[in-house]
Amino acid sequence: MEFQLGFIVAGLIVGFIVGLTGVGGGSLMTPILLWFGIPPTTAVGTDLLYAAFTKMGGVYVHHKKKNINWSITGWLSLGSVPAALLTLWILHSIKTDITGINAIIKYGLGWALLFTSIAVLFKKKLLVFSQKHAGDKFHSESKTQNILTISIGVLLGATVTLTSIGAGALGTVTLFFLYPLLVTPRLVGTEIAHAVPLTLVAGLGHATMGNLDLGLLGQLLIGSLPGIFIGSMMSGKVPDLFLRNAIAIMLFFVGYKLVFLA
């Protein structure tokens, strides 16, 4: 991949938005890479490792602040990592039909964006709803809660491996329902901690299939690392509701285009 300033700028913008709002980078970066003309398989594979390396810094910060519930992270990973490996095996088994794989990824990406846009738009309302039902039966039965957490992990593992989307916004929203009494910073920190091994396994799997552009990855990281730092420093100084609504609307239209117009 030749040097292109556009990729560094894209990494800077996405990193800044992630640091500012917490919205998952995959839901923004993958559509941008498709817009640049990057093939869907390469866009997903590269974005997964981009997310893994970017969020490692987040894990360090959240761990220092004690914002990670490692038990929940473990139960999620118990479902997501095997699901990621199974999805990679399925993609590998049909790798001869690259056109078919690209079509599947585009379609899956579209639906993931549609669900993510809804999750981002109604995130606070979903949190309030889940807290109202904090006394429901499944919240107080640890075995049932663990099984449901593993199930969420399976869903996230397949979705993230196929589309590189879901580890952030979708993962956090689903955890709101299972752990409504857990404070938001610990939910976010826990999901970031879970996203690292998931995106790393999925990204390395895609890399073995040739779905990785190291030059592209390097350029994205050059922009994203300072972008995340700047966004984190400005968090709370820019109207969060306005940004989230704008991002949700954008993701919805991109998803709609991929599912119904592509």
Side-chain angles (χ1 to χ4, degrees):
M1 172 64 65
E2 296 181 0
F3 176 83
Q4 289 191 40
L5 183 61
F7 291 131
I8 296 177
V9 173
L12 179 67
I13 293 172
V14 172
F16 175 76
I17 292 173
V18 171
L20 194 65
T21 68
V23 174
S27 57
L28 298 172
M29 183 56 75
T30 304
I32 290 173
L33 292 180
L34 293 179
W35 182 78
F36 271 110
I38 304 297
T41 49
T42 304
V44 169
T46 303
D47 186 40
L48 283 167
L49 285 180
Y50 159 82
F53 291 132
T54 301
K55 291 184 177 182
M56 284 179 185
V59 171
Y60 174 75
V61 174
H62 279 286
H63 179 65
K64 284 191 70 175
K65 293 183 177 181
K66 298 182 178 179
N67 282 343
I68 299 175
N69 185 313
W70 290 106
S71 176
I72 297 175
T73 299
W75 287 112
L76 282 170
S77 300
L78 195 60
S80 66
V81 173
L85 293 172
L86 178 60
T87 305
L88 286 167
W89 178 81
I90 293 172
L91 289 174
H92 180 74
S93 67
I94 58 174
K95 67 178 181 178
T96 52
D97 185 11
I98 191 67
T99 304
I101 293 178
N102 282 335
I104 291 171
I105 289 177
K106 269 192 173 183
Y107 191 71
L109 176 63
W111 280 111
L113 286 172
L114 289 175
F115 284 118
T116 300
S117 68
I118 294 171
V120 170
L121 195 61
F122 297 103
K123 188 174 182 179
K124 289 189 177 180
K125 290 185 178 180
L126 291 171
L127 175 59
V128 171
F129 175 83
S130 65
Q131 287 176 337
K132 285 183 179 179
H133 294 271
D136 288 357
K137 190 176 180 181
F138 74 85
H139 284 142
S140 58
E141 293 185 359
S142 59
K143 288 185 178 180
T144 305
Q145 199 173 42
N146 290 341
I147 292 172
L148 288 172
T149 305
I150 294 172
S151 300
I152 288 174
V154 170
L155 178 63
L156 290 175
T159 304
V160 170
T161 304
L162 185 63
T163 68
S164 79
I165 291 173
L170 291 178
T172 305
V173 168
T174 51
L175 286 181
F176 277 153
F177 286 100
L178 279 182
Y179 303 94
L181 299 181
L182 201 63
V183 294
T184 302
R186 281 181 67 81
L187 278 174
V188 174
T190 298
E191 185 47 51
I192 289 176
H194 164 245
V196 171
L198 171 56
T199 53
L200 189 60
V201 168
L204 290 174
H206 274 278
T208 62
M209 294 187 285
N211 301 335
L212 172 65
D213 189 320
L214 282 174
L216 172 60
L217 175 62
Q219 292 176 65
L220 293 176
L221 290 174
I222 288 173
S224 72
L225 295 178
I228 288 174
F229 176 78
I230 296 170
S232 299
M233 294 294 290
M234 292 185 63
S235 182
K237 298 180 181 179
V238 179
D240 183 63
L241 183 61
F242 170 78
L243 283 172
R244 283 184 176 275
N245 288 344
I247 291 168
I249 292 170
M250 178 191 71
L251 295 180
F252 180 84
F253 280 111
V254 173
Y256 182 86
K257 180 181 178 182
L258 288 173
V259 172
F260 300 107
L261 302 179

